[in-house]
């Protein structure tokens, strides 16, 4: 499958628009998200593998408290 799920361990600060306006990330550390696996990069840090995914390739947040409903980002 092309869609993967993962738990967010860390986040960047967001993005800047062409006008220089800061747009914060809508996800939070600990969120379980769906992402497109072919844009993700694996990186090993101290023997642990992490996946780096651009925010615009996160399709949604899986909210386990709402019966795995997908909340679009």
């Amino acid at each position: 499958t092309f869609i993967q799920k993962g738990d967010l361990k860390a986040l960047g600060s967001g993005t800047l628009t062409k006008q220089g306006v800061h747009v914060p990330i809508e996800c939070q550390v600990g969120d379980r998200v769906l992402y497109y696996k072919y844009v993700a990069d694996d990186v090993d840090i101290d023997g642990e593998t992490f996946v780096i995914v651009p925010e615009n390739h996160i399709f949604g947040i899986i909210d386990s408290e709402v019966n795995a409903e997908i909340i679009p980002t």
Side-chain angles (χ1 to χ4, degrees):
T1 180
F2 300 121
I3 303 298
Q4 300 290 306
K5 67 180 173 182
D7 298 321
L8 296 177
K9 302 293 183 187
L11 300 169
S13 61
T15 59
L16 289 176
T17 65
K18 290 181 181 180
Q19 296 77 23
V21 176
H22 178 253
V23 180
I25 294 177
E26 295 183 27
C27 304
Q28 298 177 357
V29 171
D31 284 347
R32 178 162 288 175
V33 297
L34 299 174
Y35 63 91
Y36 185 63
K37 84 175 188 178
Y38 291 110
V39 299
D41 289 310
D42 292 348
V43 62
D44 289 325
I45 301 174
D46 296 330
E48 189 171 357
T49 301
F50 294 91
V51 180
I52 299 174
V53 180
E55 181 188 15
N56 61 333
H57 291 284
I58 294 175
F59 297 115
I61 301 168
I62 301 171
D63 186 348
S64 60
E65 294 181 13
V66 188
N67 299 319
E69 176 182 348
I70 298 173
I71 302 169
T73 58

